[in-house]
Amino acid sequence: MPSGEIQTVIESPLGPLEASFTEQGLAWLSFGDRDAIAKASQLDAMTGDGNAMRDTLRSELDRYFGGELRAFSVPLDLHGTDFQTRVWRLLLKIPYGRTTTYGTIANLTGDSKAVRAVAGANALNPIAILVPCHRVIGHDGSLTGYAGGLWRKRRLLRLEATGVIEETQATLFAD
C-alpha cells in the first residue's frame, strides 16, 4: 500500500478493503491481507473520523454494495506509467453494469496489439472497484484474472447486473 496521509480499512461484503488517500484523492483501494488490515486499522484509530474523502468513500461503497450507487464521486490520485494511467482512465469510462474486452481497451489506446500490456495495467490497477477493471473480460466472454480473485470479480459483475450483492458464507469454497 503506498504511503498516503490517511490509511483506513473499510469493511465490505467481499472482505476488508484497505485504502490510502493523498491530499489529491484516493490513491489505493485493495482487498487486503490480514497483516496490512491490522496495520491500517491501527492507523485508522489514530487518525479519527475527520477525513471527508474517507467518510465519502465509506458511504459510497455502502451505497454501491447496496445496489444504490452507480458512479463514485471520490477524487482519485492515480500513479503509474503513462500507459497504465491511460488504461485506468479508459476503464473509468466503462458504464456500470457493462463489460468490455482487453482487446477493445487496447484498440482505444491506439495499439490493437497491446492486449497483454492492457492486461498488465489491469493487474496493477491500484484502485479496486472505483477503477472498474472487474468490467474487463476475455474476448470470448470468459472471466479472466482479477487481483482480488475471480470470485470477487464474479460477484461484482453480478451486483452490477442485478443490484444485489450475493451473500455467501466466507470464501471457503471460492475459486
Side-chain angles (χ1 to χ4, degrees):
M1 172 173 27
S3 68
E5 291 190 354
I6 302 292
Q7 296 176 347
T8 192
V9 173
I10 299 170
E11 292 299 325
S12 85
L14 301 180
L17 290 157
E18 55 185 271
S20 182
F21 297 87
T22 65
E23 288 182 14
Q24 290 74 39
L26 179 64
W28 179 264
L29 183 67
S30 178
F31 297 99
D33 64 37
R34 292 177 196 257
D35 292 339
I37 295 299
K39 178 183 171 193
S41 292
Q42 292 170 351
L43 288 167
D44 194 33
M46 289 186 290
T47 58
D49 294 327
N51 185 277
M53 280 189 283
R54 179 184 55 204
D55 295 344
T56 299
L57 177 62
R58 280 187 173 143
S59 172
E60 288 187 349
L61 283 169
D62 283 345
R63 291 176 42 225
Y64 171 80
F65 285 118
E68 303 166 13
L69 183 77
R70 293 175 173 239
F72 293 90
S73 68
V74 174
L76 304 179
D77 188 12
L78 295 170
H79 294 276
T81 66
D82 288 343
F83 183 80
Q84 289 168 338
T85 56
R86 190 169 38 164
V87 168
W88 299 334
R89 292 196 187 288
L90 289 168
L91 298 179
L92 290 168
K93 296 179 180 185
I94 305 169
Y96 178 96
R98 301 274 307 272
T99 59
T100 192
T101 65
Y102 296 97
T104 299
I105 299 293
N107 286 334
L108 291 172
T109 69
D111 184 356
S112 62
K113 295 180 182 177
V115 174
R116 287 185 183 207
V118 167
N122 265 21
L124 296 174
N125 173 15
I127 303 177
I129 303 171
L130 279 71
V131 177
C133 61
H134 61 276
R135 296 178 188 155
V136 182
I137 60 175
H139 72 279
D140 61 356
S142 63
L143 296 188
T144 57
Y146 185 64
L150 285 179
W151 70 273
R152 284 189 178 111
K153 182 173 189 165
R154 186 176 301 110
R155 286 185 64 194
L156 288 168
L157 291 174
R158 198 169 298 143
L159 165 66
E160 293 184 4
T162 65
V164 177
I165 187 76
E166 166 188 291
E167 294 296 330
T168 63
Q169 294 181 349
T171 59
L172 181 64
F173 301 105
D175 51 6

